[in-house]
């Protein structure tokens, strides 16, 4: 199987597959390929926002400590391979093709999803490469997410929870939290992010107790923030850290990762304080309020729900530069609220569509933006919108922000972000 045949095989499956009510389909897939998940050790990460950054903080602390670490994230940013990595290096085309060929020979004709097939590829590669540990990011939810077929992980991690995928997970934060809590296994442990509301913390602690799982959350009394909105500096248990990623939410994600690493020490992983600090201070993730220096400077962010765009709003609001935003969103998200977040901190919003089949028409996004009184331009080409935003930013010593969707961020980084 060559790379074109491999791509065709993966794309022959739909994004969601057939409707599921349990994990039997994913379990069957694993059985057909030899149950590679039973030969691996996992840290399992769920949540609405912050999963990707938290995966990287934990992974890098393990990598710096000498452990061969598998990393599974979604969606991909630059190309399909980058969602399956070991020690930061994505799966090579040759391995991808060999494993796809094996899977195609073994599986049946069930309506698997692309995500399930991707997970199968990843697990087989991690086993072949003898990974010491895999940091595994959930797709959607947790309870019925196909990644939940893994045996009891070393640790479950749950990041910030808010409304997203309400058509699948439920229309309240509590219902969504129940789905995320599905990754907590019997007689295990879970770390919960410090920035969850009190009712979510109570719910998670209750579910952990019912499963006899140790419940861990960062100790708020031992956290001190200094310049958190400008430079990401914070002190935890008398040790100072500084995130290199923008946004006041990043110290929250880093705190979650610090607690995760502390727990992994109990499981005989030798992770030094210096390597944890090094991870916090060096980790950067593409399309997560990613700053690209240049003339003009550009920030690229894939945040696509109100909590995500709110974090972006605060991050760019302190930069004291006129903001020229290029924004596109897909119709499965709560786009009206997101557009208003960006409109209120932008001098001009250039709305764009055409980057995804279900992109919201640029005219509709512009109509919402104008309600806030923000000057708006409508474009059907990302290149045209970016060119106009850069023109304005250069004339006015401004900053370009490309935001609203990971699909849009991916297209920008592939075409213009090199």
């Amino acid at each position: 199987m060559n790379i074109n045949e491999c791509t065709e095989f993966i794309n022959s499956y739909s994004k969601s597959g057939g409707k599921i009510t349990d994990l039997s389909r994913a379990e069957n897939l694993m059985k057909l390929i030899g149950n590679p998940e039973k030969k691996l050790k996992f840290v399992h990460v769920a949540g609405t926002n912050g999963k990707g950054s938290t995966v990287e903080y934990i992974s890098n602390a393990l990598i710096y400590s000498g452990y061969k670490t598998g990393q599974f994230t979604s969606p991909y940013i630059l190309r399909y391979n980058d969602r399956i990595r070991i020690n930061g290096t994505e799966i090579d085309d040759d391995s991808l093709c060999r494993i796809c060929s094996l899977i195609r020979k073994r599986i049946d004709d069930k309506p698997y999803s692309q995500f399930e097939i991707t997970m199968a590829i990843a697990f087989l590669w991690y086993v072949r490469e003898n990974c010491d540990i895999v940091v595994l990011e959930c797709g959607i939810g947790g309870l019925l997410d196909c990644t939940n077929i893994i045996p009891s992980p070393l640790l479950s991690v749950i990041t910030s929870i808010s409304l997203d995928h309400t058509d699948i997970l439920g229309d309240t934060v509590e219902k969504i939290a129940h789905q995320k809590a599905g990754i907590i296994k019997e007689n295990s442990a879970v770390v919960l992010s410090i920035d969850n509301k009190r009712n979510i913390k109570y719910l998670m602690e209750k579910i952990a107790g019912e499963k006899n799982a140790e419940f861990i959350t960062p100790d708020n009394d031992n956290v001190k923030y200094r310049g958190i909105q400008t430079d990401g500096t914070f002190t935890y248990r008398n040790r100072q850290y500084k995130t290199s990623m923008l946004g006041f939410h990043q110290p929250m994600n880093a705190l979650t990762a610090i607690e995760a690493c502390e727990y992994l020490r109990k499981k005989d992983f030798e992770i030094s304080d210096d390597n944890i600090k090094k991870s916090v201070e060096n980790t950067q993730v593409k399309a997560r309020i990613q700053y690209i220096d240049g003339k003009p400077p550009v920030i690229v962010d894939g945040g696509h729900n109100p909590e995500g765009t709110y974090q972006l709003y605060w991050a760019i609001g302190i930069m004291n530069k006129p903001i020229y935003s290029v924004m596109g969103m897909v119709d499965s998200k709560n786009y009206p609220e997101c557009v208003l977040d960006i409109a209120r901190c932008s001098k001009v919003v250039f709305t764009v569509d055409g980057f995804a089949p279900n992109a919201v028409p640029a005219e509709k996004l512009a109509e919402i933006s104008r309600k806030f009184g923000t000057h708006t331009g409508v474009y059907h080409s990302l290149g045209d919108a970016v060119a106009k935003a850069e023109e304005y930013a250069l004339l006015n010593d401004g900053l370009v922000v490309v935001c609203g969707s990971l699909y849009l961020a991916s297209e920008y980084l592939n075409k213009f972000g090199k």
Side-chain angles (χ1 to χ4, degrees):
M1 185 182 283
N2 59 39
I3 192 63
N4 291 330
E5 292 170 329
C6 182
T7 301
E8 186 179 341
F9 168 70
I10 294 165
N11 289 338
S12 68
Y13 294 92
S14 68
K15 288 189 175 181
S16 60
K19 186 177 180 180
I20 60 168
T21 56
D22 57 32
L23 294 173
S24 59
R25 190 176 74 198
E27 289 168 345
N28 180 67
L29 174 60
M30 290 296 104
K31 184 178 179 181
L32 291 172
I33 62 171
N35 290 115
E37 79 284 2
K38 294 181 179 179
K39 303 168 188 173
L40 297 164
K41 296 177 180 178
F42 294 95
V43 173
H44 201 186
V45 183
T48 306
N49 291 298
K51 296 193 299 292
S53 300
T54 303
V55 164
E56 297 306 314
Y57 285 130
I58 297 169
S59 296
N60 285 333
L62 287 161
I63 293 165
Y64 293 145
S65 300
Y67 293 100
K68 197 168 191 179
T69 306
Q71 300 154 279
F72 184 81
T73 56
S74 64
Y76 68 83
I77 301 300
L78 297 182
R79 69 176 192 141
Y80 176 85
N81 304 49
D82 68 35
R83 63 193 305 180
I84 305 171
R85 290 168 292 134
I86 296 175
N87 287 8
T89 300
E90 64 188 40
I91 186 171
D92 59 283
D93 286 350
D94 183 61
S95 294
L96 181 64
C97 291
R98 287 174 182 272
I99 294 171
C100 274
S101 181
L102 181 149
I103 291 172
R104 185 172 65 176
K105 290 174 183 176
R106 292 193 181 182
I107 62 175
D108 52 26
D109 58 357
K110 282 189 170 62
Y112 300 110
S113 67
Q114 280 185 26
F115 191 82
E116 288 165 338
I117 295 295
T118 300
M119 180 182 72
I121 294 167
F123 287 179
L124 286 170
W125 190 50
Y126 299 147
V127 169
R128 285 187 177 191
E129 296 298 319
N130 297 310
C131 283
D132 298 310
I133 189 169
V134 174
V135 187
L136 178 70
E137 181 184 338
C138 277
I140 296 176
L143 181 65
L144 294 179
D145 187 77
C146 69
T147 60
N148 208 27
I149 51 87
I150 63 171
S152 188
L154 294 169
L155 177 67
S156 298
V157 176
I158 298 176
T159 63
S160 176
I161 297 173
S162 60
L163 291 173
D164 199 11
H165 299 292
T166 52
D167 55 327
I168 299 171
L169 303 178
D171 56 3
T172 67
V173 175
E174 290 77 12
K175 289 178 182 177
I176 291 171
H178 267 290
Q179 291 293 317
K180 307 293 185 185
I183 70 166
I184 304 173
K185 299 293 202 303
E186 295 283 344
N187 304 310
S188 61
V190 58
V191 174
L192 178 70
S193 176
I194 197 173
D195 54 349
N196 281 291
K197 292 180 179 178
R198 186 177 300 175
N199 62 324
I200 300 303
K201 180 182 176 182
Y202 172 79
L203 176 64
M204 290 294 177
E205 191 168 12
K206 179 175 179 290
I207 293 171
E210 291 169 352
K211 296 186 177 182
N212 194 34
E214 182 178 351
F215 178 78
I216 305 163
T217 191
D219 181 4
N220 200 41
D221 293 336
N222 275 307
V223 185
K224 293 180 181 179
Y225 304 110
R226 191 198 77 199
I228 189 170
Q229 291 193 14
T230 55
D231 67 1
T233 301
F234 68 100
T235 301
Y236 188 49
R237 293 178 179 148
N238 299 317
R239 190 172 183 87
Q240 186 170 294
Y241 302 86
K242 180 181 178 183
T243 64
S244 61
M245 285 193 283
L246 298 172
F248 67 82
H249 58 299
Q250 285 304 338
M252 310 298 177
N253 296 332
L255 283 165
T256 305
I258 290 167
E259 285 293 346
C261 291
E262 291 276 2
Y263 182 81
L264 289 174
R265 285 171 170 169
K266 297 179 184 179
K267 296 294 182 179
D268 298 324
F269 283 83
E270 297 179 3
I271 308 171
S272 69
D273 288 339
D274 286 345
N275 283 330
I276 295 172
K277 182 179 173 69
K278 184 179 176 183
S279 175
V280 170
E281 296 187 347
N282 288 283
T283 293
Q284 295 188 343
V285 185
K286 290 181 176 66
R288 269 72 168 187
I289 314 186
Q290 178 185 353
Y291 183 86
I292 301 174
D293 198 13
K295 296 184 179 180
V298 178
I299 284 179
V300 184
D301 185 57
H304 48 250
N305 55 41
E307 183 174 321
T309 53
Y310 182 71
Q311 301 291 357
L312 175 62
Y313 162 78
W314 278 107
I316 61 180
I318 59 169
M319 292 189 173
N320 297 318
K321 280 181 174 287
I323 305 298
Y324 300 94
S325 296
V326 176
M327 187 175 196
M329 294 200 70
V330 296
D331 60 15
S332 59
K333 304 299 177 182
N334 179 5
Y335 59 86
E337 193 172 336
C338 295
V339 173
L340 289 175
D341 269 340
I342 301 307
R344 62 183 175 144
C345 63
S346 301
K347 194 170 184 67
V348 184
V349 175
F350 302 94
T351 60
V352 65
D353 55 25
F355 59 90
N358 60 333
V360 179
E363 292 84 358
K364 186 175 286 188
L365 297 179
E367 183 181 334
I368 298 167
S369 178
R370 290 182 186 123
K371 288 179 181 177
F372 195 80
T374 304
H375 183 66
T376 307
V378 175
Y379 289 85
H380 304 291
S381 159
L382 176 59
D384 292 343
V386 167
K388 185 56 69 173
E390 288 180 341
E391 179 185 326
Y392 275 63
L394 283 170
L395 286 171
N396 299 285
D397 188 28
L399 174 74
V400 174
V401 175
V402 180
C403 62
S405 169
L406 278 168
Y407 298 112
L408 186 71
S410 175
E411 183 175 334
Y412 176 83
L413 290 171
N414 270 303
K415 290 182 177 179
F416 310 107
K418 308 261 186 213

